[in-house]
Amino acid sequence: MARWCEERGRAVGAVVSLPTTWALARAWYSDRLEPAWRRRTAQEAQAVFSGLGLTDRFWRLPSPASPADS
Amino acid sequence: MVGLIVWIEVGLVRVSERLPLVAALDFDSRVRLEVYRHFVRFGLAPTAGDLGDELGASPSAIADSFERLAAAHVLVLDPATRGLWMAMPFSAVPTSFRVTTPGGEWWANCAWDALGISAMLQAPAEITATCAGCGDPPPVRTTGRALSAGTGVVHFAVPAASWWDDIGFT
């Protein structure tokens, strides 16, 4: 992955396994078609990341008060 | 840029038929919901005019709602046209990630979003990813509730705290 990034002139970010990305996709998007859907707060989003083991600095959100949903 | 090294296979039930009815939502929430329903139903982004009949509102009122939803990071608008660009995980424009189901096809904004379409629709699907540097990526399949096949990793280039600094790149 480091070489892949280097060839494209990009910094290496986070490399996540497919199963974890799938779990993140489910956690993030499974409620998106609900009429009463609302954006997660940063604190809620942080909890989603943490629950999947995404706990390093890359996944840290700035403020627990601001929405951070994708 | 969230890069994938894969594909996915998704099948679809009639998702639009099991979307719950809208009760007493505020206008912007109704617009948001209709944007998603339109994407699900037609595989394309609606214009403000497309939603007028559905919502009993003028195109300009819906365009204003698009702007508010974009300011709230619920939708992303094309910087030039102010039409829809993203209703995550859907993309209004072609990308490297295509999600195909028996009931429809969609563009996804990134690898995460490609998986997200499958997860959101909760139906089996197939996703193709194109990668100029990787050749043909190996297939990835889901049942809609679980991964059923696939290898590879996903590269998240932008730290979470900076996703909205340039959402088009993210």
Side-chain angles (χ1 to χ4, degrees), chain B residues 72-86:
Chain B
H73 294 175
V74 171
L75 303 172
V76 180
L77 305 183
D78 182 292
T81 67
R82 309 311 291 168
L84 290 171
W85 180 8
M86 304 178 204

Side-chain angles (χ1 to χ4, degrees), chain B:
Chain B
M1 180 71 66
V2 182
L4 177 64
I5 320 291
V6 280
W7 274 55
I8 291 185
E9 191 158 332
V10 188
L12 184 66
V13 276
R14 299 290 296 277
V15 177
S16 59
E17 292 182 358
R18 59 184 169 77
L19 296 178
L21 295 173
V22 181
L25 296 176
D26 63 73
F27 183 67
D28 288 350
S29 295
R30 290 172 59 213
V31 170
R32 185 200 78 84
L33 187 61
E34 287 306 321
V35 166
Y36 278 85
R37 286 181 167 179
H38 190 100
F39 262 111
V40 169
R41 197 173 297 130
F42 300 111
L44 300 169
T47 64
D50 290 334
L51 301 185
D53 290 342
E54 201 70 47
L55 292 165
S58 68
S60 65
I62 292 169
D64 288 346
S65 178
F66 283 179
E67 294 290 344
R68 291 190 295 273
L69 290 164
H73 294 175
V74 171
L75 303 172
V76 180
L77 305 183
D78 182 292
T81 67
R82 309 311 291 168
L84 290 171
W85 180 8
M86 304 178 204
M88 290 73 74
F90 295 126
S91 171
V93 298
T95 69
S96 297
F97 302 94
R98 186 70 166 162
V99 181
T100 304
T101 81
E105 297 183 25
W106 298 269
W107 297 108
N109 300 296
C110 61
W112 175 16
D113 283 1
L115 293 163
I117 290 174
S118 171
M120 181 176 71
L121 299 178
Q122 298 179 30
E126 177 175 286
I127 297 171
T128 56
T130 56
C131 174
C134 306
D136 292 336
V140 173
R141 294 183 176 86
T142 81
T143 65
R145 296 183 183 279
L147 282 174
S148 57
T151 58
V153 293
V154 176
H155 179 243
F156 291 76
V158 179
S162 301
W163 283 344
W164 283 94
D165 293 354
D166 181 353
I167 191 64
F169 179 74
T170 299

Side-chain angles (χ1 to χ4, degrees), chain A residues 8 13-14 16 29 34 39 58, chain B residues 32 72 113 133 154-156 160:
Chain A
R8 289 157 183 77
V16 180
Y29 285 119
E34 296 294 329
R39 294 181 68 217
F58 185 93
Chain B
R32 185 200 78 84
D113 283 1
V154 176
H155 179 243
F156 291 76

